[in-house]
Amino acid sequence: MLNASTRTAALYDRVRRVIPSIEWPAFADDIEAILDLKRQRNAVILAHNYQTPEIFHCVADIVGDSLALARKAMTAEADVIVLAGVHFMAETAKLLNPQKTVLIPDLRAGCSLADSITAEDIRLLRQRYPGVPIVTYVNTSAEVKAESDICCTSGNAKAVVESLGVPRVIMLPDEYLAQNIAAQTDVQIIAWKGHCEVHERFTPTDIRQLRENHPGVTVLAHPECPPEVVAEADFSGSTAAMSDYVGRQKPARVVLMTECSMSDNVAVEHPEVEFIRPCNLCPHMKRITLANIRAALEQNRHVVTIDPQIAGRARLAVERMLGLADATPLDRFAPASPKVHQ
Ligand code: 13P
Ligand code: SF4
């Protein structure tokens, strides 16, 4: 009789460049069970680009950056959505699918940006800057979104800021994203002091050393990196924009200044590109595993709920963003459309 590893051999073929064969038997059982549970429960799995390759390439139905996940969550035809990502992403999916069951496999999958600001902070900012619109990064709680005028992601932040037609906006909570956008627009931006614990650790010295050690390397940096890092990079964009850049430009050597799994996931699709891999791990994204995705589907946990008083206003802020026709990516060097790969 065939074992799970043999039965899932075709899936292993997709990821063999980034997962050693010795590790596959540890994944095969859970992958088979998850594929079966998805059918039984009419469930879809939405996975962020930072999920590990066995999740991203082997069980996910929809993958992408935060913007793509929010957009695709809106049209997901399923009774159950499992969010393989962090809590704010699961909340966004729930806001856009109030009738569906949204599950997050581990409630501890948080985010340093979401933790950096509260709804009360926003109310105080409104008092301090009356009439100045508040643009909130999706990396925030539903309570914070509910106090905001419109949301943005790293893929559309500039377009959102400029869509408001005002000379000054408050953009929070990511100070570096706000500064990186401010460098590209005439709109004056008032920032908050939140930082991504993964991207704040990259430095310009890292980039200089990479260029010295790997001549000709193309450096892509996420806009949650400090502005001095983005300034030294060849391109800056959301995770989807970075993946798209590699696909279009096919650099011989590339380094992605972002979370570690991103390189693995993009490398699977571009075997001809050499990936140099210094990276920082997001401990929150790494809370999600095949084992807890399986448990989420088996035990219907953890169900994401949002207070209806908050949900209505938070949904409006997300829907305003999604309603923008021109949600172009943050893209300093080459215009590109954010890619939703499925
Ligand atoms: P994007 O995928 O939208 O670029 O966001 C990166 C991120 O840090 C999500 O937590
Ligand atoms: Fe939050 Fe940064 Fe982790 Fe994304 S990578 S979830 S922004 S801590």
Side-chain angles (χ1 to χ4, degrees):
M1 193 169 145
L2 297 180
N3 63 22
S5 296
T6 314
R7 286 191 301 267
T8 54
L11 282 175
Y12 181 62
D13 265 351
R14 288 189 199 169
V15 290
R16 61 167 60 253
R17 294 188 63 247
V18 291
I19 299 181
S21 59
I22 196 161
E23 289 180 16
W24 189 249
F27 297 140
D29 264 352
D30 284 335
I31 288 176
E32 269 201 321
I34 290 167
L35 297 179
D36 203 32
L37 283 159
K38 281 201 299 182
R39 282 188 288 272
Q40 284 171 30
R41 297 209 54 194
N42 189 23
V44 289
I45 298 179
L46 271 58
H48 185 262
N49 289 330
Y50 295 161
Q51 292 296 297
T52 47
E54 70 279 7
I55 295 173
F56 187 92
H57 287 288
C58 300
V59 299
D61 301 284
I62 294 168
V63 296
D65 66 356
S66 313
L67 181 60
L69 294 184
R71 280 196 179 131
K72 292 287 166 180
M74 219 164 42
T75 54
E77 290 197 9
D79 298 322
V80 178
I81 295 174
V82 180
L83 206 303
V86 291
H87 194 260
F88 75 80
M89 295 176 178
E91 276 194 335
T92 306
K94 182 64 183 174
L95 287 173
L96 297 168
N97 291 276
Q99 311 305 337
K100 290 178 187 155
T101 300
V102 176
L103 303 175
I104 176 105
D106 189 324
L107 279 172
R108 295 168 300 175
C111 170
S112 65
L113 281 169
D115 287 346
S116 72
I117 191 153
T118 65
E120 180 57 17
D121 292 329
I122 312 250
R123 289 191 283 272
L124 291 171
L125 280 168
R126 280 222 191 267
Q127 282 173 21
R128 185 153 170 210
Y129 300 101
V132 180
I134 298 185
V135 178
T136 293
Y137 199 29
V138 285
N139 299 38
T140 45
S141 66
E143 286 85 348
V144 165
K145 290 183 176 76
E147 298 294 332
S148 316
D149 296 299
I150 187 167
C151 286
C152 74
T153 72
S154 62
N156 64 11
K158 179 171 179 271
V160 169
V161 163
E162 293 184 344
S163 76
L164 299 172
V166 292
R168 195 160 72 136
V169 304
I170 298 167
M171 189 176 161
L172 48 85
D174 189 344
E175 182 181 29
Y176 297 148
L177 178 68
Q179 289 171 346
N180 286 323
I181 296 297
Q184 303 172 51
T185 180
D186 293 334
V187 180
Q188 190 198 338
I189 296 184
I190 300 163
W192 186 251
K193 282 274 177 206
H195 298 138
C196 163
E197 68 189 80
V198 174
H199 293 95
E200 71 176 351
R201 300 212 301 271
F202 292 113
T203 67
T205 310
D206 294 338
I207 298 188
R208 280 175 222 141
Q209 275 170 1
L210 280 161
R211 291 198 195 279
E212 213 175 291
N213 296 340
H214 306 278
V217 70
T218 300
V219 180
L220 314 188
H222 193 276
E224 289 171 10
C225 292
E228 57 276 18
V229 171
V230 169
E232 296 242 356
D234 298 304
F235 173 87
S236 176
S238 76
T239 55
M242 284 196 269
S243 170
D244 198 41
Y245 182 101
V246 174
R248 276 183 299 114
Q249 305 289 333
K250 304 237 182 314
R253 287 179 147 181
V254 71
V255 59
L256 309 183
M257 309 296 280
T258 191
E259 211 276 342
C260 302
S261 292
M262 179 79 197
S263 290
D264 288 340
N265 291 330
V266 184
V268 165
E269 288 171 13
H270 301 289
E272 70 285 13
V273 176
E274 182 194 356
F275 285 79
I276 313 296
R277 293 167 192 256
C279 61
N280 291 328
L281 203 83
C282 175
H284 311 291
M285 288 281 177
K286 267 44 213 186
R287 293 268 184 205
I288 310 299
T289 62
L290 286 175
N292 61 26
I293 292 173
R294 177 178 180 171
L297 283 164
E298 282 171 345
Q299 298 164 35
N300 203 43
R301 72 176 198 202
H302 300 273
V303 177
V304 176
T305 55
I306 303 172
D307 178 344
Q309 301 273 348
I310 289 165
R313 288 178 295 131
R315 185 177 307 120
L316 205 61
V318 177
E319 284 177 347
R320 280 193 190 123
M321 167 185 85
L322 294 174
L324 280 187
D326 183 26
T328 47
L330 169 62
D331 194 341
R332 282 192 312 122
F333 294 97
S337 302
K339 176 185 168 202
V340 179
H341 39 285
Q342 295 184 51

